[in-house]
Amino acid sequence: MSGLPLIQPENATGEAAALLEEVQQALGLTPNLAKAMANSPAALKGFLDLRHALHGGGLPVPVQESIALLVAQHTGCDYGLSWHTYTGTRLAGLSRHQAHRARRGEAEDPFTEAALSLTRSLMHHRGALTDAELAAARGGGLSGAQITEVVAHVALNILTTYFGRTARVCVDWPLVRHDETRA
């Protein structure tokens, strides 16, 4: 079954055209996910606004990318794994080994480990954390603001993985499959 059409930047009009141009300017390319999301300029704008706001938050970019990798692995989204493996290793400074470990919810440093543990708990319990899980996040060094941002990153990445799978977006990054087991 085919997914949603890709809105090509040269054919886009109105707000969709402006948003796709913003993506092109920010990334130097227009990924298929953005082209598919441009079917609803409101959805694309919401995605871009949340992504931009969180990028400037209190979580280091490598932690943000690690969360994205874990969510993509958990949801079985090859698009998200491909995108965040590329950006995590090329732009955020993760090694390939660190990216692979993040997919399993593991990290070398305690702060990233705490953020990934919280991410796992959020996904497993669909947001209904136990007191012990919340205390563990705090004990792992996450502030209230950082816990809030982990929740927001999980929500952002669930949005993109669910959308990518629903829209059947073709991967336009170097392919990483959720069923790969090698580092």
Side-chain angles (χ1 to χ4, degrees):
M1 177 181 282
S2 64
L4 296 175
L6 300 182
I7 307 300
Q8 299 301 326
E10 61 272 12
N11 299 327
T13 60
E15 188 175 10
L19 291 167
L20 290 172
E21 176 61 26
E22 179 183 326
V23 171
Q24 174 68 35
Q25 292 297 317
L27 299 177
L29 56 99
T30 308
N32 285 340
L33 186 82
K35 293 175 187 176
M37 208 175 271
N39 281 284
S40 168
L44 179 56
K45 182 174 182 353
F47 162 71
L48 293 173
D49 286 350
L50 181 55
R51 189 171 176 274
H52 178 74
L54 290 175
H55 187 72
L59 292 176
V61 175
V63 175
Q64 295 175 29
E65 291 295 329
S66 295
I67 291 168
L69 286 163
L70 179 54
V71 172
Q73 181 68 40
H74 180 80
T75 58
C77 181
D78 293 344
Y79 192 94
L81 279 175
S82 300
W83 174 8
H84 292 290
T85 297
Y86 182 87
T87 57
T89 59
R90 301 275 177 104
L91 305 175
L94 294 176
S95 69
R96 290 199 82 47
H97 180 69
Q98 288 171 315
H100 187 72
R101 288 192 71 196
R103 291 171 56 181
R104 295 190 316 251
E106 301 169 355
E108 285 115 14
D109 71 282
F111 182 83
T112 304
E113 181 74 34
L116 292 176
S117 180
L118 178 59
T119 299
R120 272 193 318 273
S121 294
L122 286 164
M123 290 186 300
H124 180 74
H125 300 298
R126 290 176 278 177
L129 297 178
T130 65
D131 289 343
E133 290 165 329
L134 195 52
R138 288 186 181 118
L142 295 171
S143 68
Q146 291 164 329
I147 291 169
T148 302
E149 288 180 28
V150 169
V151 174
H153 276 283
V154 169
L156 172 66
N157 286 285
I158 287 175
L159 166 67
T160 59
T161 60
Y162 282 15
F163 179 77
R165 293 184 77 196
T166 298
R168 292 164 176 75
V169 177
C170 292
V171 176
D172 50 354
W173 305 93
L175 181 62
V176 177
R177 297 183 46 82
H178 70 279
D179 54 3
E180 289 180 348
T181 57
R182 54 195 148 91

